[in-house]
Short mmCIF file of all heavy atoms in Angstrom, two decimals:
data_model
loop_
_atom_site.label_atom_id
_atom_site.label_comp_id
_atom_site.label_asym_id
_atom_site.label_seq_id
_atom_site.Cartn_x
_atom_site.Cartn_y
_atom_site.Cartn_z
N SER A 167 89.52 98.85 96.32
CA SER A 167 88.06 98.77 96.40
C SER A 167 87.57 97.82 95.33
O SER A 167 88.34 97.44 94.43
CB SER A 167 87.45 100.16 96.22
OG SER A 167 87.78 100.70 94.95
N ARG A 168 86.32 97.43 95.42
CA ARG A 168 85.78 96.53 94.42
C ARG A 168 84.31 96.81 94.18
O ARG A 168 83.60 97.29 95.06
CB ARG A 168 85.98 95.06 94.82
CG ARG A 168 85.27 94.61 96.06
CD ARG A 168 85.67 93.19 96.47
NE ARG A 168 85.05 92.18 95.62
CZ ARG A 168 85.26 90.87 95.77
NH1 ARG A 168 86.13 90.43 96.68
NH2 ARG A 168 84.65 90.01 94.98
N ASP A 169 83.88 96.49 92.97
CA ASP A 169 82.48 96.57 92.59
C ASP A 169 82.04 95.13 92.28
O ASP A 169 82.37 94.59 91.23
CB ASP A 169 82.33 97.47 91.35
CG ASP A 169 80.88 97.67 90.95
OD1 ASP A 169 80.05 96.79 91.23
OD2 ASP A 169 80.58 98.72 90.36
N ASN A 170 81.35 94.53 93.22
CA ASN A 170 80.98 93.12 93.07
C ASN A 170 80.05 92.90 91.89
O ASN A 170 80.11 91.86 91.23
CB ASN A 170 80.34 92.60 94.35
CG ASN A 170 81.33 92.50 95.49
OD1 ASN A 170 82.53 92.29 95.29
ND2 ASN A 170 80.85 92.67 96.72
N ALA A 171 79.20 93.86 91.60
CA ALA A 171 78.27 93.71 90.48
C ALA A 171 79.01 93.68 89.15
O ALA A 171 78.54 93.06 88.19
CB ALA A 171 77.26 94.85 90.49
N LYS A 172 80.16 94.33 89.10
CA LYS A 172 80.96 94.39 87.86
C LYS A 172 82.15 93.45 87.89
O LYS A 172 82.93 93.42 86.93
CB LYS A 172 81.44 95.82 87.61
CG LYS A 172 80.32 96.83 87.37
CD LYS A 172 80.89 98.21 87.10
CE LYS A 172 79.78 99.21 86.82
NZ LYS A 172 80.32 100.57 86.55
N ASN A 173 82.30 92.70 88.99
CA ASN A 173 83.47 91.81 89.13
C ASN A 173 84.77 92.56 88.85
O ASN A 173 85.67 92.07 88.15
CB ASN A 173 83.36 90.60 88.20
CG ASN A 173 82.28 89.63 88.64
OD1 ASN A 173 82.00 89.48 89.83
ND2 ASN A 173 81.66 88.96 87.68
N THR A 174 84.86 93.74 89.41
CA THR A 174 86.00 94.63 89.14
C THR A 174 86.63 95.08 90.45
O THR A 174 85.92 95.38 91.42
CB THR A 174 85.55 95.84 88.32
OG1 THR A 174 85.02 95.39 87.07
CG2 THR A 174 86.72 96.78 88.06
N VAL A 175 87.95 95.12 90.45
CA VAL A 175 88.69 95.63 91.60
C VAL A 175 89.53 96.81 91.14
O VAL A 175 89.99 96.84 90.00
CB VAL A 175 89.57 94.53 92.23
CG1 VAL A 175 90.66 94.05 91.26
CG2 VAL A 175 90.19 94.99 93.54
N TYR A 176 89.69 97.77 92.03
CA TYR A 176 90.44 98.99 91.73
C TYR A 176 91.56 99.17 92.75
O TYR A 176 91.47 98.71 93.89
CB TYR A 176 89.51 100.21 91.79
CG TYR A 176 88.28 100.09 90.95
CD1 TYR A 176 87.08 99.65 91.50
CD2 TYR A 176 88.31 100.42 89.59
CE1 TYR A 176 85.94 99.54 90.73
CE2 TYR A 176 87.17 100.30 88.81
CZ TYR A 176 85.99 99.86 89.38
OH TYR A 176 84.86 99.75 88.62
N LEU A 177 92.59 99.86 92.32
CA LEU A 177 93.65 100.25 93.23
C LEU A 177 93.97 101.72 92.97
O LEU A 177 94.53 102.06 91.93
CB LEU A 177 94.91 99.40 93.04
CG LEU A 177 96.02 99.65 94.05
CD1 LEU A 177 95.59 99.22 95.45
CD2 LEU A 177 97.32 98.94 93.65
N GLN A 178 93.58 102.57 93.89
CA GLN A 178 93.90 103.99 93.81
C GLN A 178 95.25 104.19 94.48
O GLN A 178 95.41 103.88 95.67
CB GLN A 178 92.83 104.83 94.51
CG GLN A 178 93.12 106.31 94.51
CD GLN A 178 93.08 106.91 93.12
OE1 GLN A 178 92.20 106.62 92.32
NE2 GLN A 178 94.06 107.76 92.81
N MET A 179 96.20 104.69 93.72
CA MET A 179 97.56 104.88 94.22
C MET A 179 97.89 106.36 94.24
O MET A 179 97.93 107.01 93.19
CB MET A 179 98.55 104.12 93.32
CG MET A 179 98.23 102.64 93.17
SD MET A 179 99.48 101.74 92.25
CE MET A 179 99.29 102.48 90.63
N ASN A 180 98.08 106.89 95.42
CA ASN A 180 98.43 108.29 95.61
C ASN A 180 99.84 108.42 96.19
O ASN A 180 100.38 107.45 96.73
CB ASN A 180 97.43 108.97 96.55
CG ASN A 180 96.02 108.95 96.00
OD1 ASN A 180 95.79 108.99 94.80
ND2 ASN A 180 95.05 108.88 96.90
N SER A 181 100.39 109.60 96.08
CA SER A 181 101.72 109.88 96.63
C SER A 181 102.72 108.81 96.18
O SER A 181 103.48 108.27 96.99
CB SER A 181 101.68 109.94 98.16
OG SER A 181 100.76 110.93 98.60
#
Side-chain angles (χ1 to χ4, degrees):
S167 61
R168 64 187 284 179
D169 184 332
N170 291 330
K172 296 181 179 180
N173 290 328
T174 299
V175 64
Y176 307 95
L177 186 67
Q178 178 66 43
M179 305 185 293
N180 299 328
S181 302

